Amino acid sequence: MTKPHRKPRRHNAAPDRPAPGEPPRLDLGFLNGLLGYMLRRAQLAVYQDFFRTFADANVRPAQLAVLAILERNPGLKQTAIATALGIKRTNFVGLIDGLEGRGLLERRVADHDRRSSALHLTDEGRALLRRLKRMLDVHERRIAAGLDDAERRQLLALLERIADISRA
Amino acid sequence: MTKPHRKPRRHNAAPDRPAPGEPPRLDLGFLNGLLGYMLRRAQLAVYQDFFRTFADANVRPAQLAVLAILERNPGLKQTAIATALGIKRTNFVGLIDGLEGRGLLERRVADHDRRSSALHLTDEGRALLRRLKRMLDVHERRIAAGLDDAERRQLLALLERIADISRA
DNA sequence: TATTGTTATACTCTATAACTATA
DNA sequence: TATAGTTATAGAGTATAACAATA
């Protein structure tokens, strides 16, 4: 998956190449009409817009997802969030370290189980989240710009059915 | 993006944890109803099925895409394919090395420009492609299992409109 | 014994910089 | 000067293994 990773870091010499407006339109053979291929292209376009939108706030999709879940479920255990998001708990550690280091959330020893960390948003985290929700609104409107409300809802419903094939 | 990377390599001791059927169903807050979030989840499910389907053939999505384009456009230059797929030419080298090393395609010095490599499928590449197309058929039917024909076509159309926001 | 959080580590994907051989 | 292919390298994301503290 082509993830637009970061803002281009400024170095000292000539880059690989400037992206020339559009990729050459050539016949993609049987790729056309494949759900997997179109899904990937759509996801890529959305990620592009996401990174552009949240560059200032320096927030990545997984980070926003954590904040969103935590807003609704204060005190949730670290691993519960990780599994809900499909992230291995081992990779989740660094993600939470980052958010905690920025003062957006804090780990508290959980009641009744001193192994687990219960996560809580800080005031600063809640404040940032308010700002992020406004940015998200802009982002969402931009990527759904070509769709009317009924189409947007239908796309969401169809995507949900695709996403659920794994538990069929 | 959570890409199912490889077949689990067998090591010598206990793994991180067995994935227990389903992630706990908890309230995801404002993530629900977001195009970007549902798109990611759908893409993930499709990738899961793709890797499962093509594990035997040991073919990844980008590799299949190259073979598909090459079948329709024999002799296309390396960089033309790379840009069409949104892959940087610098990262494309290894991909083509792999396919060439497996005898599936070959690089030929292009007529009129000895800098470029014109890519051509070998007989072996064409043979594998026939097999891959049958596997792809199974894969595609599986991920679209919950949709009738009209729904599948509509999903493709909606995805295409999302994918095109970048060139708006 | 099993689970939570953690560190260490490896592989893949994507990115930039710089080289070469051609044009 | 510019372009095609290439190498080297770095940063994310995701994977497994193993350990300490706790259950």
Side-chain angles (χ1 to χ4, degrees):
Chain A
M1 199 163 334
T2 310
K3 247 168 280 186
H5 264 213
R6 334 247 69 237
K7 262 319 186 55
R9 288 155 288 163
R10 276 297 140 236
H11 273 240
N12 39 340
D16 211 42
R17 201 182 359 156
E22 316 227 350
R25 285 294 194 198
L26 54 85
D27 189 338
L28 299 174
F30 62 77
L31 290 187
N32 281 314
L34 284 187
L35 279 177
Y37 180 68
M38 283 315 301
L39 217 37
R40 176 180 174 274
R41 292 225 304 136
Q43 229 251 313
L44 230 68
V46 169
Y47 258 73
Q48 296 267 10
D49 193 273
F50 186 99
F51 281 99
R52 191 158 59 90
T53 308
F54 290 91
D56 276 354
N58 192 26
V59 166
R60 260 94 48 85
Q63 296 176 318
L64 180 61
V66 170
L67 298 177
I69 292 182
L70 225 41
E71 178 190 45
R72 185 61 63 96
N73 310 271
L76 210 56
K77 314 266 174 66
Q78 210 172 287
T79 295
I81 303 184
T83 28
L85 288 173
I87 300 174
K88 298 232 171 294
R89 73 188 198 284
T90 183
N91 294 324
F92 202 61
V93 176
L95 205 167
I96 297 302
D97 282 350
L99 295 175
E100 191 174 35
R102 287 164 68 174
L104 302 176
L105 54 82
E106 56 178 12
R107 287 185 244 233
R108 300 185 197 155
V109 175
D111 300 342
H112 311 304
D113 187 347
R114 295 194 359 232
R115 292 171 304 180
S116 351
S117 300
L119 302 185
H120 294 268
L121 289 178
T122 61
D123 287 342
E124 204 179 338
R126 271 181 289 272
L128 175 64
L129 200 45
R130 278 192 293 277
R131 187 177 151 225
L132 295 177
K133 282 199 255 188
R134 286 193 298 271
M135 302 170 82
L136 186 60
D137 225 68
V138 174
H139 164 65
E140 189 74 6
R141 258 201 292 274
R142 196 153 42 201
I143 64 181
L147 313 181
D148 63 35
D149 244 46
E151 288 170 331
R152 183 175 171 282
R153 274 195 307 273
Q154 200 188 0
L155 177 53
L156 283 169
L158 291 169
L159 288 175
E160 187 148 19
R161 281 199 262 165
I162 298 286
D164 285 351
I165 55 167
S166 32
R167 48 179 127 261
Chain B
M1 196 164 328
T2 311
K3 247 170 278 189
H5 264 213
R6 328 250 68 236
K7 261 321 185 56
R9 289 153 289 164
R10 277 295 141 240
H11 274 242
N12 38 341
D16 210 42
R17 201 180 2 157
E22 315 226 350
R25 285 294 194 197
L26 55 84
D27 189 337
L28 299 174
F30 62 76
L31 291 186
N32 280 315
L34 283 188
L35 279 178
Y37 181 67
M38 283 314 301
L39 217 37
R40 177 181 174 273
R41 292 224 305 135
Q43 230 252 314
L44 231 67
V46 168
Y47 259 73
Q48 295 268 10
D49 192 273
F50 186 100
F51 281 100
R52 192 158 59 92
T53 308
F54 290 92
D56 276 353
N58 194 24
V59 165
R60 260 96 47 87
Q63 296 175 318
L64 180 61
V66 170
L67 297 177
I69 291 181
L70 225 41
E71 178 190 46
R72 186 59 64 94
N73 310 272
L76 209 59
K77 313 266 175 67
Q78 210 171 288
T79 295
I81 303 184
T83 28
L85 289 173
I87 299 174
K88 298 232 172 296
R89 72 190 199 283
T90 182
N91 294 323
F92 202 61
V93 176
L95 205 167
I96 297 302
D97 283 350
L99 296 174
E100 190 174 36
R102 287 164 67 174
L104 301 176
L105 56 78
E106 54 178 14
R107 288 184 243 233
R108 299 184 198 156
V109 176
D111 302 341
H112 311 305
D113 188 346
R114 294 193 0 229
R115 292 172 305 180
S116 353
S117 301
L119 301 185
H120 296 265
L121 289 178
T122 61
D123 288 341
E124 204 179 338
R126 272 181 289 270
L128 175 65
L129 199 46
R130 279 191 293 277
R131 188 177 150 225
L132 295 178
K133 282 199 254 187
R134 286 192 299 270
M135 303 170 81
L136 186 60
D137 226 68
V138 173
H139 164 66
E140 188 76 6
R141 257 200 294 273
R142 197 152 40 200
I143 64 181
L147 313 181
D148 64 35
D149 244 46
E151 288 169 330
R152 183 176 171 282
R153 274 196 307 276
Q154 198 187 4
L155 177 52
L156 283 168
L158 291 169
L159 288 174
E160 187 148 20
R161 281 199 261 164
I162 298 286
D164 284 352
I165 55 166
S166 31
R167 48 178 128 261

